[in-house]
Amino acid sequence: MSEPAQGGRAFVFGDDIDTDLLAPGAYMKSSPDELASHCLEALDPDFARTVRPGDVVVGGRNFGLGSSREQAAVSLVRLGVSAVLAASFARIFWRNAMNLGLPALTLEPADLARIGQGDRLAVAAEAGEVRNLTRGEVYATAPVPPHLMAMIRDGGLIPHLKRRFASAAKEPRAPASGVAA
Amino acid sequence: MPEPATLVEKILARAAGRARVRPGELITVKVDLAYAHDSSGPRRWRPMLEALGTGLWDPEKVVLVSDHYVPAVDAESAEILKGVRAFVRDYGVGRFFDMEGIGHLVLPDHGLIQPGMVIAGGDSHTPMAGAFGTYAAGYGATDMAAIAATGETWLAAPRTLRVELEGELQPGVAAKDVMLSLCKRLGLDNAFAAVEYAGSVVARMSMPERMVLCNMAAELGAESGVVAPDAVTFAYLAERGRPVADEAAALALASDPGAEFAAVHRIDVSRLAPQIAAPHAPSNTDDVSAFEGVVIDQAYIGACVGAKIEDLRMAAEVLRGRRVAPGVRLLVAPASTRTTELASREGVLTTLLAAGAHLLPSGCGACAGYGAGVLAPGEVCISSTNRNFRGRMGAADAQVYLGSPYAVAAAAAAGRIVDPRAYLSAGRAAA
Ligand code: SF4
């Protein structure tokens, strides 16, 4: 995940953005790109057309509630969204996003409320901060557990596991996933 | 004397190989059973397993079901289903339920869910298995592929919210009504929590009712719903030819006296009226009286939560000797083929069909917006399913109300939302 020099534009949505809004059931059989083209269309019919690589989706409380469909996060990745910021996340969506290497970061609601539609944001997941270039402000994100940060650095869970499998082939035993017990 | 622990903490401690886990602790757990369906499973797993160059960690512990796209309605869904069968063959999957019904019901119905297990499911309603005293949580496809490959996963041990149900449910009020009212009371964003259901009402509940409570822990945003195993659990599994091997160990899973809960909600259900959740959230709930008179186009009895044999019986109780109102369609999609067979044998099906119901295949169907029974723009539906998010059952502006099977059946007969209690035999006699 690289930090866009100019920052990405903020697309601001409210509370309770559910997985049916992110990946509508009617298109779940379609190709990932086709499905992504309908992402959030019930709220903003232009979103999928106007969002550009590096842009940032900003939600409120309980972002990603609903189904386990990973396509909700896949669609955002396909559209080039570089991070999702919210006051809280539904657990499965949060895991899915991180597993795909898409940082899903928690901010204080007061800070989130300061982000306007189209604001330029530079998200530094590792440093735990979001710079609002439009307003000249910096917001702190809730810390991400180190093993997840390592996974995001590797580009997601599968590339991360691949590395572990490769090193396990050399060494006698490495924990297969996540944190060492 | 060891430090008191909750049911979920005990299950997770064993699976993590530790004496004790505390809420928030990051742990790696061994998974006892992993299952997934046609939408979230093989079509996403295969490329990932290929990228990892590995097979399944234990083909006997991986269960697949085809329930979302069944039966195929077009070439795309047929291809997805074909892909599942090929995966089962290529990877040697030990157990595969092809078009036998919704996985969350089919697995327990085969006795595969045993107390104390850690269960990973590629579906958000996996917590339904918590009714058997398991830690059962839903995961997305990448997590599931990793679990299928390694047999383990990481998690932050959840805090436990305890819900104690006391009193007595009135006739015409079901476990579903309890959950809709809980969605309103606790909200939908209880992430990183497990909900433990207890109290005298839960102790008297059948396994299918407990499954409703645990299924809809997903609506609360909890990662797991759980009920301590007891004689009811043991009897259910014994009837299915898979008795619990060590009942004493299963009983010992119960939360210890003095265990710490993040919150305890004591609720007297005696005065609970039938509940209805209005569009577009399960928390948008009120007593049925608040919605009486809402005219409907469709009534849908379906889903893992709302089309078990017990649910069909509730609908039949309301519809015996009645007809579906003109201009309304009642669709019934039994949760499994076995459910259809039982309903047929018991005469429940005859009652529903005589009332004018349309029988649909067993599977997720319109619940996920994938199969038969989806809604046109502006249409109004009352449904026994568990969530009513915008666009889930079809058009984005379709209006979906959630209720118990009693409420759905009564609305089908009346053509509008009504209090189902007036449609039950006691109410009929009084009328
Ligand atoms: S019936 Fe509905 S809620 Fe249940 S598994 Fe299928 S899609 Fe999910």
Side-chain angles (χ1 to χ4, degrees), chain B residues 37 67-68 102 104 123-125 215 302-305 363-364 367-368 385-387 392:
Chain B
H37 52 65
D67 57 12
H68 273 58
I102 303 164
H104 304 310
D123 189 274
S124 61
H125 286 101
N215 177 296
C304 46
V305 78
C364 295
C367 173
T385 54
N386 42 27
R387 46 176 70 138
R392 180 169 172 89

Side-chain angles (χ1 to χ4, degrees), chain A residues 29 61-62 70 95 99 179, chain B residues 28 74 142-143 188-189:
Chain A
K29 279 183 298 197
R61 282 164 59 104
N62 210 13
E70 193 170 66
R95 289 185 71 115
N99 283 339
V179 285
Chain B
T28 295
D74 53 22
T142 300
D143 260 331
L188 306 183
D189 58 351

Side-chain angles (χ1 to χ4, degrees), chain A residues 18 20 25 28-29 61-62 65-68 70 89 91-92 95-96 99 147-148 157-158 161-162 176-177 179, chain B residues 28 43-44 48 51 69 74 122-124 137-143 146 153-154 188-189 223 370 387 389:
Chain A
D18 65 66
D20 290 280
M28 282 288 289
K29 279 183 298 197
R61 282 164 59 104
N62 210 13
L65 76 156
S67 119
S68 67
E70 193 170 66
F89 289 93
R91 169 185 152 277
I92 303 179
R95 289 185 71 115
N96 288 347
N99 283 339
H147 79 284
L148 283 188
L157 178 57
I158 296 302
L161 275 183
K162 224 168 155 175
S177 77
V179 285
Chain B
T28 295
R43 66 172 167 154
R44 305 287 323 285
M48 292 190 255
Y69 288 111
D74 53 22
D123 189 274
S124 61
Y139 295 87
T142 300
D143 260 331
T153 192
W154 67 273
L188 306 183
D189 58 351
E223 61 191 64
Y370 294 5
R387 46 176 70 138
F389 298 130

Side-chain angles (χ1 to χ4, degrees), chain B residues 169-187:
Chain B
L169 286 172
Q170 296 305 304
V173 182
K176 176 69 173 287
D177 297 300
V178 173
M179 285 315 298
L180 290 176
S181 77
L182 264 185
C183 286
K184 178 181 185 173
R185 180 172 172 145
L186 301 185

